[in-house]
Amino acid sequence: EVQLVESGGDLVQSGGSLRLSCAASGFIFSSYNMNWVRQAPGKGLEWVAYINRVSDIIYYADSVKGRFTISRDNAKNSLFLEMNSLRTEDTAVYYCVRVRSSTTCSFDSWGQGTLVTVSS
Amino acid sequence: QSLLTQPPSASGTPGQTVTISCSGSSSNIGSNTVNWYQQFPGTAPKLLIYKNNQRPSGVPDRFSGSKSGTSTSLAISGLQSEDEADYYCAAWDDSLNGPVFGGGTKLTVL
């Protein structure tokens, strides 16, 4: 069974930093492109960052570019999101998301999410 | 404001067919395939439709997707109370180099 388990969400002050982790199991992690997607309380879905299987293609949403860094460790079946210079508008549930094979952005597996709260 | 436009709400009675629309542009829906997601309150989204009209295993054939030009729609036939959820369309955007989501449509089964 495919499992994605996020951790690292917390309450942090504006300007602070946080590192999210996602532990993957039940599939060959190194064979899949991965993303982070977030959802602010009561709002819709917003894509945050993409990383391909071998970490040589990385994209960010304009809203986080220069502040967030996505990375992965295929040996440890893990995905990460380093978040710096956090703003109140970064408050959201952050989901670790797998891309379905042979697609560009069909997200076929989602974690349960981890809540990041940025206070002013 | 989302690059993909969906109606904020939709409704129907059990057994009816409901259609949810999603409008985009040439840089997203017009040149890339579309996905649809279903989300129940307090849970993670679930992939419902990919590549415009393909259903992952386990998704009932009551759910169908279609695309024409820069618009797409999700149809739910034989509406059931358990279909009450939020629905999101999504597609890759060539200008942004990333996927974009619609604002979501809250479906109510009356």
Side-chain angles (χ1 to χ4, degrees), chain A residues 35 37 39 43-47 50 59-60 62 65 95 100-113, chain B residues 32-33 35 37 39 42-47 49-51 56-57 88 90-92 96-103:
Chain A
N35 291 260
V37 173
Q39 187 169 34
K43 303 295 184 183
L45 301 169
E46 180 189 15
W47 168 73
Y50 162 95
Y59 299 125
Y60 296 99
D62 287 343
K65 204 171 292 182
Y95 294 103
R100 184 184 174 99
S101 295
S102 304
T103 70
T104 50
C105 63
S106 300
F107 300 149
D108 69 349
S109 293
W110 297 63
Q112 85 288 351
Chain B
N32 295 291
T33 59
N35 307 283
Y37 299 90
Q39 186 181 32
T43 69
K46 167 190 167 184
L47 181 64
I49 298 287
Y50 69 99
K51 288 187 177 179
S57 61
Y88 295 89
W92 187 267
L96 298 181
N97 251 344
V100 288
F101 288 93

Side-chain angles (χ1 to χ4, degrees), chain A residues 56-76:
Chain A
D56 62 356
I57 299 177
I58 289 174
Y59 299 125
Y60 296 99
D62 287 343
S63 57
V64 307
K65 204 171 292 182
R67 300 187 299 122
F68 289 13
T69 302
I70 188 172
S71 62
R72 65 190 294 164
D73 184 340
N74 287 341
K76 295 184 177 179

Side-chain angles (χ1 to χ4, degrees), chain A residues 3-8 21-25 36 79 96 110-114:
Chain A
Q3 276 204 315
L4 298 167
V5 179
E6 303 94 336
S7 60
S21 299
C22 170
S25 62
W36 288 97
L79 178 72
C96 168
W110 297 63
Q112 85 288 351
T114 188

